[in-house]
């Protein structure tokens, strides 16, 4: 009997330790994330205020893997994600004055640049595909859209068309 109650006390202590560890882990993770965001913002501020190359290099090292991973998660091909991230990081270096830390953290601003660039690339690719498709349709004589009416209307002379019009 004593052994059973001792076992239940031990299980309760173990559960409490596990709960405390989970809470501590959550607080530590939250603090780590906050520290990371603060560090990124300080680095971008240094780039903005003094063009600090070392700060940019550190920011680049911190952000590039995260940005590439996020883009890959969005379905962007590896080479395209690299191109997008590199273009955005060039923008971060050349236009840091556009960053306003009263509106967002550095991470938020950079992710917004990446998202917008991804959308631009997607739209550009769609326009290119549509243009190629249109060119294929126009240049393919066997296409279903090139029916006899179209061929007939393009072969008539203007004088032939004018004869068909009323004499008003």
């Amino acid at each position: 009997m004593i052994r059973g109650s001792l076992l239940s006390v031990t299980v309760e202590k173990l559960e409490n330790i596990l709960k405390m560890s989970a809470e501590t882990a959550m607080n530590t993770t939250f603090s780590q994330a906050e520290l990371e965001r603060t560090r990124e913002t300080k680095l971008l501020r240094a780039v903005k205020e003094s063009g600090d190359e070392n700060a940019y290099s550190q920011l680049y090292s911190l952000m590039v893997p995260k940005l590439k991973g996020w883009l890959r998660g969005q379905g962007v091909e590896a080479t395209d994600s690299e191109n997008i991230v590199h273009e955005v990081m060039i923008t971060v270096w050349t236009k840091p004055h556009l960053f306003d830390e009263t509106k967002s953290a550095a991470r938020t601003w950079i992710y917004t640049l990446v998202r917008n660039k991804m959308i631009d690339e997607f739209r550009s690719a769609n326009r290119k595909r549509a243009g190629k498709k249109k060119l294929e349709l126009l240049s393919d004589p066997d296409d279903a859209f090139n029916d006899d009416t179209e061929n007939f209307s393009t072969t008539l002379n203007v004088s032939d068309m004018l004869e068909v019009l009323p004499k008003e």
Side-chain angles (χ1 to χ4, degrees), residues 35-99:
L35 288 172
E36 208 171 290
R37 282 189 201 93
T38 302
R39 181 174 179 219
E40 293 161 356
T41 301
K42 285 180 182 178
L43 291 170
L44 185 53
R45 186 182 318 123
V47 171
K48 178 180 178 178
E49 291 173 356
S50 63
D52 187 342
E53 291 180 23
N54 185 39
Y56 176 77
S57 177
Q58 290 178 42
L59 183 63
Y60 188 94
S61 296
L62 286 171
M63 295 303 297
V64 167
K66 294 174 190 172
L67 298 170
K68 285 181 185 178
W70 182 80
L71 284 167
R72 295 291 286 140
Q74 300 300 311
V76 177
E77 294 294 323
T79 55
D80 293 334
S81 68
E82 282 192 31
N83 291 337
I84 291 170
V85 169
H86 289 300
E87 287 184 39
V88 166
M89 292 309 292
I90 289 170
T91 302
V92 169
W93 175 249
T94 58
K95 299 181 182 180
H97 61 277
L98 298 176
F99 170 63

Side-chain angles (χ1 to χ4, degrees), residues 126-167:
N126 280 345
R127 281 193 299 273
K128 287 177 185 174
R129 274 193 297 272
K132 286 180 183 177
K133 181 83 170 160
K134 196 174 198 177
L135 183 61
E136 288 172 6
L137 290 174
L138 292 174
S139 64
D140 187 3
D142 296 329
D143 194 296
F145 292 111
N146 291 333
D147 61 5
D148 292 336
T149 309
E150 184 178 339
N151 290 335
F152 177 74
S153 66
T154 57
T155 58
L156 288 176
N157 291 331
V158 175
S159 59
D160 293 336
M161 288 184 216
L162 288 174
E163 288 178 14
V164 177
L165 291 174
K167 301 280 186 206

